[in-house]
Amino acid sequence: MICDVNVYLSRWPFRRLPCDSTPELVRKLKQNDVTRAYAGSFDGLLHKDIRAVNQRLNDDCKSHGAELLIPVGSINPALPGWEDDVIACHEQWNMPGIRLHPNYHEYELNSPEVKKLFEMSAERGLFIQIAMRMEDDRTHHKLMRIPDVNFAALPGLMKEHQQLQVTILNGMKSLRGASLTRLTENPNLTIEIAMLEGVGGIENLMQQVPYEQILFGSYFPFFYLESSLNKLKESQLGMKIEEQITWKNAEHRFARTP
């Protein structure tokens, strides 16, 4: 059993990707024993009609990946009426969580809107995923140089909501040392391994982060699914820890029947 917490549907805006149609993506996940995948939408990066983005995401998950794909709605608190989008994710589509892209939507985590967003999510029992980056800065389109998300305000936000689960996606390229330690001091903060580099990377990460706070994520289809699967083979984890990282940690924190 594998639970992938970092999957995207639809099309990456700047080039075609292998398996960027949902049937192909689902087929690939099943071939590699992924039994649950939390899926956001690439459309959520640049589209202004977030309600339509989330409707398509929900429909796509149900049509092609029922019981496998779990939709995670995009929210842009820089747009008017974003609160209604949170309500729709929760009440209309019964999504278990939301996914944020602060750098693409040009807001900071210390903004009043984000504070209200965290409050709404905590009240409704939604988890929050925050993507730190979407691609290596060396490959950015020259008209779209997107900085990494600044997480300095995140520990303070989480202290106000003791049960709120927050996961950082695509963070292991940049998060290291004291900055990573400060974030993971909160046991409700989790990270995933899609951008983790180096042989034995998970073993090395566990010297700084408890394995209970590490999740399996592939960032498929932007990255090859095999990349994250091979990270499990490169580290000597043992069956218990491997099960925790590949599915039990996510099941414990996020499981909710959509």
Side-chain angles (χ1 to χ4, degrees):
M1 295 176 62
I2 298 175
C3 177
D4 192 335
V5 301
N6 186 8
V7 167
Y8 279 83
L9 304 189
S10 195
R11 301 281 169 80
W12 175 244
F14 304 106
R15 61 183 171 90
R16 290 297 303 271
L17 302 172
C19 296
D20 65 1
S21 74
T22 305
E24 289 179 289
L25 180 140
V26 167
R27 191 177 307 115
K28 183 75 170 181
L29 292 172
K30 289 181 176 179
Q31 287 173 350
N32 287 276
D33 299 320
V34 175
T35 54
R36 175 167 291 196
Y38 290 93
S41 174
F42 282 132
D43 293 348
L45 298 179
L46 301 179
H47 290 215
K48 289 187 176 181
D49 190 349
I50 295 296
R51 180 71 65 91
V53 168
N54 291 332
Q55 179 70 70
R56 290 194 301 273
L57 173 67
N58 182 70
D59 293 347
D60 223 12
C61 288
K62 286 187 175 180
S63 298
H64 302 290
E67 300 181 5
L68 170 62
L69 296 178
I70 310 298
V72 182
S74 296
I75 299 296
N76 181 356
L79 292 177
W82 63 267
E83 297 95 336
D84 293 335
D85 293 328
V86 176
I87 294 170
C89 286
H90 180 223
E91 297 183 5
Q92 182 175 346
W93 300 305
N94 200 25
M95 295 178 180
I98 58 176
R99 189 170 291 185
L100 308 180
H101 303 91
N103 45 359
Y104 279 80
H105 296 158
E106 297 186 299
Y107 62 86
E108 299 291 336
L109 294 183
N110 60 2
S111 70
E113 291 79 12
V114 173
K115 183 176 181 180
K116 184 176 181 181
L117 174 58
F118 271 60
E119 290 172 356
M120 290 184 69
S121 299
E123 290 170 358
R124 293 170 175 274
L126 301 172
F127 64 76
I128 296 176
Q129 297 182 331
I130 308 174
M132 185 172 190
R133 59 163 54 185
M134 299 300 285
E135 62 178 326
D136 191 301
D137 51 16
R138 293 170 295 183
T139 64
H140 285 168
H141 190 285
K142 65 179 182 179
L143 297 180
M144 292 195 65
R145 305 291 185 183
I146 310 296
D148 286 352
V149 174
N150 183 347
F151 286 108
L154 184 57
L157 282 168
M158 293 188 66
K159 281 183 179 179
E160 297 180 19
H161 308 287
Q162 296 300 319
Q163 301 304 315
L164 183 64
Q165 297 289 334
V166 178
T167 302
I168 295 176
L169 307 180
N170 300 340
M172 298 315 301
K173 177 78 173 177
S174 304
L175 284 176
R176 294 185 180 88
S179 61
L180 179 59
T181 299
R182 181 168 178 261
L183 289 170
T184 54
E185 284 176 351
N186 189 317
N188 292 335
L189 190 286
T190 48
I191 56 177
E192 53 82 37
I193 63 172
M195 290 194 177
L196 183 64
E197 296 182 343
V199 176
I202 300 177
E203 284 182 273
N204 295 331
L205 179 61
M206 284 168 49
Q207 297 177 18
Q208 192 172 0
V209 179
Y211 68 82
E212 294 90 347
Q213 291 173 251
I214 302 173
L215 308 177
F216 179 88
S218 66
Y219 192 27
F220 181 61
F222 193 94
F223 286 170
Y224 291 114
L225 180 60
E226 291 83 358
S227 175
S228 284
L229 293 171
N230 286 336
K231 291 168 189 175
L232 299 171
K233 300 175 183 178
E234 293 170 353
S235 292
Q236 300 298 315
L237 301 175
M239 182 177 294
K240 176 186 175 181
I241 293 178
E242 184 170 321
E243 285 183 344
Q244 290 292 140
I245 291 173
T246 52
W247 68 276
K248 285 188 175 181
N249 289 341
E251 183 75 12
H252 170 69
R253 294 170 182 271
F254 308 139
R256 174 182 167 203
T257 303

